């Protein structure tokens, strides 16, 4: 049935239906949104953690890889150091590429790309540094070889060859402003080496030649000159022994020394020119008491040091004395050296005092001189048997007995 509009307007409102309360539900949309954002952030954070962990693992792997690259660098350098390299880049790549490829293959797939870039950069830099070091070593080796040639010439005493090698290195291993000093050093050292060799091989001839050498043939540097003096001292001791042995051999075998040998000994400075000439003189048949006393006293008072003893023995061997007296005096020197020098000196001077004081008779008289000679011959035996005290007692007794001399004066006989 149709309802008229008027009637509709006169009817009451229909019921509202079921009523559901909505209090407390108005913030759900925001909470859901925030929860979704939190879950999303958590998921994104976990991805970043995984990514960071992978990056850290890759970096650790590359750090180990860099150490491997250093090892490959050293291995490649060692290999090329033993080769005559003409094309450095080719040689470096040929030697290092297989090692680098093997090292890259050992990386994880994630790290290989970065490892390859690292290997390329490191190898390029290492090649440049290694080539520089290789060339420097070649220069050092060439310099060492050149210096060895110079030193060899110097040690052989070859001045000319040493200077030739120095000239060859001028401007290469030695700057031009340093050549004069190098030449002077090489020349001085070469002269030193030459004389050292001569003095060591033949001391007597070396000393003779050195004594007559021109100044330009001697080392000029002070250090070299001092070393030459040391070599001369060693050679002089050796030459002195040689001359003494030869002269004593001649005495024992009743031979005359060769004039040439004595001349060489004099030129070497082992004996004086006067000694060389005296050794060739005809010796007297017998020594006077004064001459004998002089030589015996020198033998009794011989110093203990070897050089002084040898000088005295040379003086005896070259003196114009009868051969039998030379042999006895040389034997007396040997006897003296077995006794304390101070005791011998004191005893000899005490015996001389007896002579000068007239205990042995009037000084300068032949009888007193013969008596002195007898006491000098006896004094070493007294010292050997009784020591210092026994020898002193012996001298004291000789002086006491001097009171028994009877002096005849001219006025006492009138």
């Amino acid at each position: 049935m149709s309802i008229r509009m008027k009637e509709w307007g006169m009817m009451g409102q229909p019921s509202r239906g079921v009523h559901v309360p909505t209090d407390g539900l108005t913030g759900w949309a925001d909470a859901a949104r925030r929860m979704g954002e939190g879950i999303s952030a958590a998921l994104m954070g976990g991805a970043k953690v995984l990514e960071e962990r992978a990056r850290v693992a890759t970096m650790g792997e590359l750090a180990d890889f860099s150490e491997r690259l250093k090892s490959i660098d050293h291995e490649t350098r060692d290999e090329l150091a033993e080769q005559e390299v003409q094309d450095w880049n080719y040689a470096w790549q040929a030697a290092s590429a297989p090692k680098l490829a093997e090292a890259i293959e050992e990386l994880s797939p994630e790290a290989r790309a970065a490892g390859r870039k690292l290997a390329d950069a490191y190898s390029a830099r290492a090649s440049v540094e290694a080539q520089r070091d290789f060339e420097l070593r070649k220069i050092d080796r060439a310099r060492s070889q050149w210096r060895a040639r110079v030193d060899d010439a110097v040690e052989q005493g070859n001045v000319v060859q040493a200077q030739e090698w120095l000239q060859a290195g001028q401007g290469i291993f030695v700057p031009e402003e340093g050549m004069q000093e190098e030449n002077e050093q090489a020349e001085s050292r070469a002269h030193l080496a030459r004389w050292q060799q001569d003095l060591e091989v033949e001391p007597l001839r070396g000393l003779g030649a050195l004594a007559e050498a021109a100044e330009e043939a001697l080392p000029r540097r002070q250090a070299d000159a001092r070393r030459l003096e040391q070599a001369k001292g060693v050679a002089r001791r050796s030459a002195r022994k040689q001359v003494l042995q030869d002269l004593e051999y001649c005495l024992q075998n009743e031979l005359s020394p060769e004039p040439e040998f004595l001349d060489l000994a004099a030129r070497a400075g082992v004996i004086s020119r006067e000694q060389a000439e005296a050794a060739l003189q005809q010796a007297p048949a017998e020594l006077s008491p004064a001459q004998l006393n002089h030589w015996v006293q020198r033998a009794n008072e011989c110093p203990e040091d070897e050089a002084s003893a040898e000088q005295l023995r040379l003086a005896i061997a070259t003196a114009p004395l009868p051969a039998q007296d030379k042999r006895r005096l040389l034997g007396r020197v040997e006897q003296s050296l077995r006794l304390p020098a101070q005791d011998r000196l004191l005893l000899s001077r005490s015996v001389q005092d007896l002579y000068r004081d007239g205990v042995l008779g009037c000084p300068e008289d032949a009888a007193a001189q013969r008596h002195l000679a007898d006491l000098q011959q006896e004094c070493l035996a007294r010292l050997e048997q009784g020591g210092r005290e026994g020898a002193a007692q012996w001298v004291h007794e000789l002086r006491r007995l001097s009171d028994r001399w009877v002096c005849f004066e001219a006025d006492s006989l009138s």
Side-chain angles (χ1 to χ4, degrees):
M1 153 181 87
S2 61
I3 300 174
R4 294 178 182 181
M5 293 299 298
K6 185 177 179 179
E7 295 175 348
W8 173 262
M10 297 176 64
M11 297 179 67
Q13 294 181 353
S15 175
R16 292 178 179 274
V18 179
H19 176 71
V20 180
T22 60
D23 295 342
L25 298 178
T26 56
W28 280 21
D30 291 338
R33 180 178 56 79
R34 286 194 298 272
M35 181 178 295
E37 291 176 352
I39 293 172
S40 176
L43 292 174
M44 292 178 65
K48 288 183 178 180
V49 169
L50 293 176
E51 181 182 350
E52 183 66 21
R53 184 176 300 169
R55 189 178 70 83
V56 169
T58 301
M59 291 300 295
E61 191 174 2
L62 291 177
D64 293 339
F65 182 66
S66 66
E67 293 299 320
R68 178 71 183 278
L69 292 178
K70 292 180 182 179
S71 177
I72 292 173
D73 175 20
H74 294 314
E75 292 175 9
T76 306
R77 288 178 183 233
D78 293 341
E79 288 181 18
L80 297 184
E82 305 298 328
Q83 301 177 16
E84 291 293 334
V85 179
Q86 301 298 328
D87 186 337
W88 177 264
N89 290 329
Y90 174 80
W92 181 267
Q93 290 299 324
S96 63
K99 301 182 181 68
L100 292 174
E102 181 181 353
I104 292 171
E105 283 299 317
E106 294 175 359
L107 294 173
S108 64
E110 296 80 6
R112 286 177 186 172
R116 188 173 290 105
K117 292 180 180 180
L118 180 61
D120 291 342
Y122 188 92
S123 181
R125 188 185 67 182
S127 175
V128 173
E129 294 177 353
Q131 184 178 14
R132 178 201 61 195
D133 295 342
F134 179 80
E135 296 299 332
L136 289 176
R137 281 195 299 271
K138 284 176 62 177
I139 295 173
D140 289 341
R141 186 161 52 248
R143 181 185 291 108
S144 298
Q145 292 172 342
W146 168 80
R147 177 58 67 180
R149 301 289 80 76
V150 175
D151 291 342
D152 287 344
V154 167
E155 291 174 4
Q156 294 171 8
N158 193 329
V159 177
V160 175
Q161 191 174 68
Q163 291 178 337
E164 288 177 352
W165 277 110
L166 283 174
Q167 292 298 327
Q170 182 177 359
I172 302 174
F173 304 120
V174 180
E176 292 186 5
E177 58 271 19
M179 277 301 297
Q180 182 177 355
E181 182 179 358
E182 285 280 351
N183 269 311
E184 291 176 355
Q185 290 183 358
E187 181 179 354
S188 180
R189 289 170 50 214
H191 286 318
L192 170 63
R194 175 210 161 184
W195 289 116
Q196 284 177 324
Q197 293 170 10
D198 291 349
L199 292 173
E200 183 177 359
V201 175
E202 291 190 82
L204 195 58
R205 294 190 180 278
L207 287 169
L210 183 57
E212 300 170 353
E215 184 177 354
E216 55 269 20
L218 302 176
R220 298 185 180 182
R221 297 176 65 212
Q222 291 185 356
D224 296 332
R226 287 194 297 269
R227 292 177 63 187
L228 180 57
E229 286 299 320
Q230 294 173 354
K232 284 172 62 178
V234 174
R236 189 174 291 111
R237 289 192 292 271
S238 179
R240 189 168 55 231
K241 292 181 184 298
Q242 177 187 348
V243 172
L244 187 57
Q245 289 174 356
D246 288 354
L247 291 176
E248 289 181 339
Y249 176 82
C250 291
L251 280 174
Q252 296 299 328
N253 294 274
E254 299 183 356
L255 300 173
S256 297
E258 294 292 335
E260 294 80 4
F261 175 76
L262 292 172
D263 178 69
L264 179 59
R267 287 194 291 112
V270 177
I271 60 176
S272 66
R273 181 61 61 183
E274 292 75 13
Q275 286 177 310
E277 294 174 356
L280 297 174
Q281 295 177 9
Q282 183 68 33
E286 184 179 357
L287 291 178
S288 67
Q291 291 174 323
L292 181 60
N293 285 331
H294 166 76
W295 286 108
V296 173
Q297 181 182 357
R298 290 187 62 181
N300 289 349
E301 299 177 7
C302 175
E304 285 183 320
D305 65 283
E306 184 179 9
S308 297
E310 288 179 345
Q311 291 288 4
L312 177 56
R313 292 167 63 189
L314 282 171
I316 293 171
T318 56
L321 304 175
Q324 66 273 16
D325 289 330
K326 288 184 179 182
R327 287 191 289 268
R328 281 197 295 266
L329 288 170
L330 289 172
R332 191 163 190 82
V333 172
E334 296 297 325
Q335 182 184 11
S336 295
L337 293 176
R338 294 194 295 266
L339 298 170
Q342 189 62 32
D343 293 349
R344 289 187 284 105
L345 181 62
L346 179 61
L347 180 57
S348 177
R349 300 297 168 83
S350 298
V351 172
Q352 292 294 324
D353 289 341
L354 292 176
Y355 171 74
R356 283 189 294 268
D357 294 342
V359 174
L360 308 181
C362 294
E364 305 300 330
D365 282 356
Q369 291 179 355
R370 284 194 296 270
H371 195 180
L372 175 60
D374 292 338
L375 294 180
Q376 285 181 325
Q377 296 285 355
E378 185 180 354
C379 65
L380 292 185
R382 290 283 183 173
L383 189 58
E384 282 182 330
Q385 295 169 5
R388 179 187 300 182
E389 294 182 358
Q393 182 60 37
W394 173 63
V395 173
H396 176 73
E397 185 66 19
L398 289 173
R399 186 172 291 277
R400 187 182 66 82
L401 292 175
S402 66
D403 295 337
R404 300 179 183 180
W405 285 94
V406 177
C407 182
F408 297 96
E409 296 182 358
D411 54 357
S412 65
L413 297 176
S414 57

